[in-house]
Amino acid sequence: MAEILGIGIESSCDETGVTLIKNGKEVIKNSLFSQIELHKEFGGVVPENASRAHLEKIPWLIQDTIDAVPSNASLQYIAVTARPGLVGSLLVGFNAALALGAHYNIPVIPVHHLEAHLYAVLPSGYGIPYPFLGLLLSGGNSALYHVTGLGQIEVIADTFDDAAGEALDKAASILGLPYPGGPHIEKAAAIAEPGPDSNPLPRVLKDQKDHEFNFSFSGLKTALLYLTRSEHSYTTEQLAFYFQQRVFEAIIRNTTKAAEHLGLDSVIAAGGVMANSTLRESLQLALSQIHTKLIVPEKKFCTDNAAMVAALGHEYFQTGRWPQPVNVSSENSFRQWGDAIQKMQIQS
Ligand code: KG4
């Protein structure tokens, strides 16, 4: 089989990533610069600082990646995150991709960041079992997708307010834990002593009907805030445990309900929050009880990275069809992206 070498570029938020991939799954070079230290003191991503940091780092990461191309091989495509994200950050990666594409005279394949998260399972060694239920849990998104093919994505559920990662980040800030909050809440929850009584925080959307799968986490965050302001005897670790428990039980409940409702026996779960070991284990257990398989990327491919972009780009490259690279936008929706895919041109 002829080998296909491609590069993926990711710069939608606070990670600059460039990956060289073979046949869409074998990572040859994975360069990633995380801006966490830069944004820490502000408790969240500062868009202008993020764009500048991407601009500073991307030439070096690209150079490292190009240097890793074997001397007897040539690149065949560049895949790049085109949306959604911070527009200044997106533009840095997108223009770098256009320049590389022009230099090597190879196609630039724009990919949707949220779709790419699901394809992080490819460099993790798994296949894509169409049709499947996609669960995406990141700092900006909490959604369920019914995926029937490449680019064929129906949004089944979204969040009414905060995303799961955003809720964990804000809860960490309320509890005085560092940014980003998810990993710190996980660590604190893991060492919590059993509490004096049952979880004092309310269940999320407890009256939700069986065929409704949306998420909502802002009320839970407010409940945590009021609890911390009241007289209580809980430790920070216990509060982290209770908060995480409420977030994860909502995710597990809606994911299992949606898989059953749609009759799907495979779930791909991705995004930064899926790096959480407790969630990985408890979701796996819940889905096994309804005979549904859970596929999750390696932890390093759950948070933003360019390997997932390169892997999804390879899927499109193989079909010979992809949207034209004119579509940088912070717009999140798959509907407009779907329109772009409808207008895909056959590449010769
Ligand atoms: O996918 P990601 O890198 O995308 C965004 O930039 O949105 O996800 C980042 C989110 C953050 O909210 C972070 O707190 C959360 O993923 N996260 C975690 C863990 N690692 C990262 N949440 C829970 N447990 C973790 N171990």
Side-chain angles (χ1 to χ4, degrees):
M1 192 181 78
E3 286 177 352
I4 298 174
L5 271 189
I7 281 184
I9 297 181
E10 161 61 37
S11 72
S12 62
C13 188
D14 58 346
E15 255 95 27
T16 323
V18 185
T19 298
L20 176 65
I21 207 164
K22 186 158 94 181
N23 296 332
K25 49 183 191 243
E26 198 181 313
V27 174
I28 298 176
K29 178 88 185 168
N30 191 33
S31 305
L32 191 69
F33 174 75
S34 166
Q35 301 177 1
I36 284 176
E37 287 305 317
L38 180 71
H39 301 296
K40 222 172 197 165
E41 65 173 296
F42 304 102
V45 179
V46 181
E48 176 69 10
N49 295 354
S51 313
R52 287 172 188 273
H54 286 303
L55 264 178
E56 279 171 18
K57 294 292 172 198
I58 211 160
W60 305 104
L61 301 191
I62 288 178
Q63 190 59 58
D64 272 2
T65 310
I66 298 292
D67 289 347
V69 176
S71 54
N72 59 351
S74 54
L75 288 172
Q76 275 142 294
Y77 69 90
I78 311 286
V80 60
T81 297
R83 69 166 63 177
L86 302 171
V87 83
S89 292
L90 285 168
L91 278 167
V92 174
F94 198 76
N95 284 314
L98 290 181
L100 273 180
H103 176 76
Y104 288 105
N105 194 23
I106 53 177
V108 174
I109 303 178
V111 307
H112 196 293
H113 180 79
L114 307 184
E115 187 180 16
H117 263 298
L118 302 176
Y119 288 76
V121 297
L122 289 172
S124 306
Y126 304 100
I128 306 285
Y130 297 116
F132 66 89
L133 181 69
L135 168 65
L136 179 66
L137 300 169
S138 66
N141 294 273
S142 292
L144 286 163
Y145 306 119
H146 184 186
V147 187
T148 49
L150 191 59
Q152 288 166 15
I153 300 163
E154 188 191 348
V155 181
I156 300 302
D158 209 332
T159 177
F160 288 128
D161 37 60
D162 290 355
E166 185 181 0
L168 290 165
D169 292 344
K170 287 178 178 166
S173 154
I174 292 170
L175 296 176
L177 297 170
Y179 168 85
H184 295 284
I185 296 252
E186 177 176 21
K187 275 192 209 117
I191 54 168
E193 298 284 334
D197 35 44
S198 58
N199 195 329
L201 295 171
R203 278 183 200 282
V204 173
L205 293 174
K206 65 179 174 14
D207 298 324
Q208 200 173 31
K209 297 191 176 62
D210 273 353
H211 59 279
E212 289 171 358
F213 317 110
N214 285 316
F215 301 105
S216 168
F217 298 112
S218 73
L220 180 62
K221 177 192 64 192
T222 308
L224 176 70
L225 182 66
Y226 286 153
L227 179 59
T228 57
R229 284 180 181 169
S230 69
E231 280 210 12
H232 70 83
S233 55
Y234 301 108
T235 63
T236 298
E237 288 74 22
Q238 284 167 340
L239 293 174
F241 175 88
Y242 289 137
F243 189 85
Q244 184 178 268
Q245 185 179 54
R246 286 293 186 238
V247 171
F248 291 173
E249 73 188 10
I251 291 166
I252 293 167
R253 182 192 65 211
N254 287 12
T255 306
T256 46
K257 276 197 313 184
E260 275 187 309
H261 179 77
L262 295 167
L264 295 170
D265 60 9
S266 300
V267 174
I268 293 182
V273 179
M274 282 309 303
N276 187 293
S277 299
T278 306
L279 179 59
R280 291 164 85 97
E281 284 157 24
S282 39
L283 184 58
Q284 159 92 55
L285 182 66
L287 287 171
S288 71
Q289 283 161 2
I290 56 162
H291 310 290
T292 299
K293 187 175 172 201
L294 175 66
I295 308 171
V296 192
E298 279 177 50
K299 287 188 183 182
K300 69 175 179 204
F301 295 138
C302 283
T303 42
D304 286 351
N305 65 87
M308 64 189 197
V309 175
L312 177 57
H314 175 263
E315 297 293 291
Y316 280 103
F317 182 75
Q318 279 191 308
T319 66
R321 287 164 63 85
W322 50 84
Q324 287 302 290
V326 288
N327 225 337
V328 165
S329 162
S330 52
E331 168 63 52
N332 196 350
S333 98
F334 275 105
R335 194 171 312 131
Q336 284 184 11
W337 187 249
D339 291 346
I341 289 178
Q342 292 300 314
K343 290 185 205 125
M344 284 190 299
Q345 299 193 357
I346 310 271
Q347 313 287 320
S348 56

